[in-house]
């Protein structure tokens, strides 16, 4: 008789936001320019990362005029 090999079920990795430190689900978001590595949760993306990007764009547009 052949022995069946048991498949190991991999536990999903915990995804921790580097900004708020909380666990999140899903793919995460690019944290640039706040962080250079990792992924951030949707909340930090909406309330920290995107506003920072917009502020940077406004500043760059202002100094380039």
């Amino acid at each position: 008789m052949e022995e069946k090999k048991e498949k190991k079920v991999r536990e999903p990795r915990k995804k921790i936001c580097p900004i708020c430190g909380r666990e999140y689900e899903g793919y995460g978001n690019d944290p640039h320019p706040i962080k250079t590595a990792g992924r951030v949760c949707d909340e930090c993306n909406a309330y920290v990362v995107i506003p920072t990007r917009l502020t940077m764009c406004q500043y760059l547009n202002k100094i380039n005029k």
Side-chain angles (χ1 to χ4, degrees):
M1 279 193 162
E2 287 183 38
E3 288 184 34
K4 290 185 179 178
K5 291 184 180 179
E6 290 185 35
K7 289 185 180 180
K8 291 184 181 180
V9 178
R10 220 187 249 185
E11 291 287 325
R13 278 189 331 162
K14 285 186 178 180
K15 299 173 189 171
I16 306 295
C17 176
I19 295 176
C20 67
R22 289 182 281 175
E23 190 173 342
Y24 67 91
E25 293 181 1
Y27 294 108
N29 303 282
D30 180 11
H32 183 76
I34 303 297
K35 299 280 183 178
T36 57
R39 309 294 284 174
V40 298
C41 68
D42 291 340
E43 190 172 326
C44 286
N45 189 56
Y47 294 106
V48 179
V49 177
I50 292 174
T52 301
R53 288 180 185 163
L54 292 173
T55 300
M56 288 177 70
C57 284
Q58 290 171 343
Y59 175 76
L60 291 173
N61 283 335
K62 191 174 185 177
I63 65 169
N64 287 329
K65 286 187 176 182

